[in-house]
């Protein structure tokens, strides 16, 4: 289905993959570039910054809004994930009414069979998020590959907050020989440093302020990493969160930025990154920072 006349302006909104494909074929000209921003909705300024990058780089920009069930290993997490489609469409319309929106149903994406493919990401899927969310990255790989095949973008934009996901998607593109350039974009933060996330909508204003501790901890960890070992920094972070009963630290890890393997001994020629996951009132927040 194809909807128009949103807010009295012709804005291309599609709810089915077949008409979207037809539309993209009808407007594509030789050597034109399609930019793609896949999202799960509950859009914030971070998402909009990805769209702005796409608008600057490409002739056409497509944004998908789809809460993908196959990447949730916790049914409660899937159920409470914020869904704000009308608000999201309005935000996109204000940014640029020429952006093409794809907001499919589960049936449209999965043809009545919402299940994941199994991928080999050379072990990247077994680290950090993979340890705590079994099957998560198979779900991510499944939906992103499916969306790439539908949209056939030249460039696709992802935020670096989900850095492990970004590396896994790059690996999936290489292994499946997909013709798309995957671009990682800097984390967009609130004024208090909290990384922008759709899950932030589940926090109270007070909790959002308290959550600034996550980024402050990362900044201090970066400072300490200059003169201390990864193990010493990790122990300091763990103790910092033990003192704050409103938080539950799921993990903090310092890893090689390319392989994502945990760091045991520093090598000046390599780049390292700190990864953190914290629960606040059962809301799971992730963040990361480059340590070089």
């Amino acid at each position: 289905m194809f909807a128009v006349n949103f807010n009295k302006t012709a804005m291309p909104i599609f709810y089915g993959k077949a008409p979207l494909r037809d539309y993209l074929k009808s407007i594509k000209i030789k050597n034109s570039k399609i930019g793609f921003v896949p999202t799960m909705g509950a859009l914030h300024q971070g998402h909009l910054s990805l769209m702005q990058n796409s608008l600057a780089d490409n002739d056409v920009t497509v944004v998908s809004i789809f809460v993908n069930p196959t990447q949730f290993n916790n049914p409660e997490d899937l159920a409470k994930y914020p869904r704000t489609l009308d608000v999201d469409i309005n935000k996109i319309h204000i940014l640029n009414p020429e952006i093409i929106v794809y907001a499919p149903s589960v049936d449209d994406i999965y043809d009545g069979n919402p299940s994941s493919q199994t991928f080999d990401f050379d072990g990247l899927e077994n680290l950090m998020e993979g340890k705590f969310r079994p099957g998560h990255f198979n779900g991510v790989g499944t939906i992103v590959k499916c969306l790439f095949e539908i949209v056939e973008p030249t460039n696709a934009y992802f935020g670096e907050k989900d850095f492990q996901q970004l590396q896994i998607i790059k690996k999936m593109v290489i292994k499946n020989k997909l013709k798309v350039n995957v671009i990682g974009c800097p984390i967009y933060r609130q004024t208090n440093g909290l990384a922008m996330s759709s899950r932030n909508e589940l926090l109270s204003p007070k909790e959002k302020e308290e959550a600034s501790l996550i980024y402050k901890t990362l900044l201090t960890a970066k400072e300490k990493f200059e003169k201390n070992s990864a193990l010493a920094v990790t122990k300091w972070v763990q103790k910092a969160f033990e003192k704050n009963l409103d938080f539950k630290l799921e993990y903090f890890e310092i890893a090689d930025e390319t392989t994502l393997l945990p760091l045991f001994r520093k090598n000046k020629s390599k780049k390292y990154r700190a990864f953190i996951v914290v629960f606040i009132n059962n809301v799971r927040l992730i963040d990361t920072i480059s340590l070089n």
Side-chain angles (χ1 to χ4, degrees):
M1 180 163 49
F2 174 41
V4 295
N5 296 324
F6 183 79
N7 283 358
K8 299 181 180 180
T9 302
M11 182 180 180
I13 307 171
F14 295 86
Y15 301 96
K17 57 191 172 189
L20 172 64
R21 281 179 176 139
D22 290 343
Y23 181 75
L24 289 173
K25 286 179 182 177
S26 73
I27 64 170
K28 191 170 184 179
I29 58 176
K30 189 177 181 180
N31 297 324
S32 63
K33 294 191 292 185
I34 296 177
F36 180 45
V37 180
T39 83
M40 292 208 298
L43 302 181
H44 50 69
Q45 190 58 44
H47 292 117
L48 299 180
S49 70
L50 299 180
M51 296 175 207
Q52 288 169 326
N53 288 340
S54 178
L55 288 165
D57 295 344
N58 303 279
D59 302 291
V60 175
T61 290
V62 180
V63 175
S64 63
I65 300 173
F66 178 67
V67 180
N68 176 39
T70 66
Q71 70 189 67
F72 287 83
N73 59 305
N74 184 341
E76 291 182 13
D77 196 19
L78 173 60
K80 71 181 182 182
Y81 197 88
R83 292 164 172 82
T84 56
L85 182 58
D86 290 343
V87 174
D88 293 341
I89 290 173
N90 191 46
K91 287 180 179 180
I92 296 170
H93 178 267
I94 291 170
L95 178 66
N96 189 315
E98 294 183 0
I99 291 175
I100 300 164
V101 176
Y102 176 42
S105 65
V106 173
D107 282 346
D108 181 67
I109 288 289
Y110 288 105
D111 297 320
N113 182 29
S115 59
S116 295
Q117 293 178 243
T118 299
F119 291 86
D120 175 11
F121 299 113
D122 291 341
L124 291 178
E125 71 276 20
N126 299 321
L127 305 166
M128 292 183 292
E129 290 295 279
K131 289 181 187 175
F132 291 89
R133 304 178 70 184
H136 170 67
F137 287 120
N138 278 330
V140 170
T142 299
I143 185 59
V144 173
K145 182 172 180 285
C146 177
L147 290 170
F148 282 174
E149 290 169 348
I150 293 169
V151 177
E152 297 183 354
T154 312
N155 301 302
Y157 299 81
F158 297 84
E160 289 186 345
K161 179 176 70 70
D162 299 286
F163 193 86
Q164 184 177 7
Q165 172 179 281
L166 174 63
Q167 298 297 75
I168 275 177
I169 290 169
K170 287 180 177 179
K171 180 73 69 175
M172 186 267 291
V173 165
I174 292 169
K175 288 208 157 198
N176 289 273
K177 299 179 180 178
L178 302 178
K179 295 179 180 179
V180 55
N181 181 32
V182 176
I183 300 170
C185 300
I187 298 171
Y188 210 95
R189 298 184 181 277
Q190 295 181 190
T191 53
N192 69 355
L194 176 63
M196 288 201 171
S197 168
S198 299
R199 294 176 190 270
N200 292 356
E201 296 303 310
L202 302 173
L203 301 173
S204 69
K206 181 174 181 287
E207 288 167 339
K208 286 179 183 178
E209 280 306 310
E210 291 174 342
S212 65
L213 176 66
I214 299 170
Y215 186 52
K216 290 174 184 175
T217 301
L218 286 177
L219 289 175
T220 305
K222 181 172 182 173
E223 290 178 12
K224 288 183 176 295
F225 183 70
E226 291 181 11
K227 297 180 180 180
N228 296 275
S229 68
L231 180 59
V233 175
T234 300
K235 286 183 176 179
W236 176 83
V237 171
Q238 290 169 343
K239 287 181 180 178
F241 279 98
E242 284 172 4
K243 297 174 183 176
N244 290 273
L245 299 180
D246 292 334
F247 297 85
K248 178 187 174 185
L249 178 67
E250 185 169 75
Y251 69 80
F252 173 84
E253 194 156 309
I254 294 175
D256 182 294
E257 196 165 275
T258 302
T259 66
L260 303 182
L261 290 171
L263 168 64
F264 294 105
R265 182 174 295 178
K266 293 181 188 178
N267 183 327
K268 290 183 180 179
S269 66
K270 292 187 176 182
K271 291 185 177 181
Y272 301 108
R273 182 171 283 270
F275 299 85
I276 194 168
V277 175
V278 176
F279 280 92
I280 303 178
N281 191 23
N282 293 321
V283 178
R284 190 174 189 270
L285 303 177
I286 75 172
D287 206 342
T288 181
I289 192 170
S290 172
L291 297 178
N292 294 73

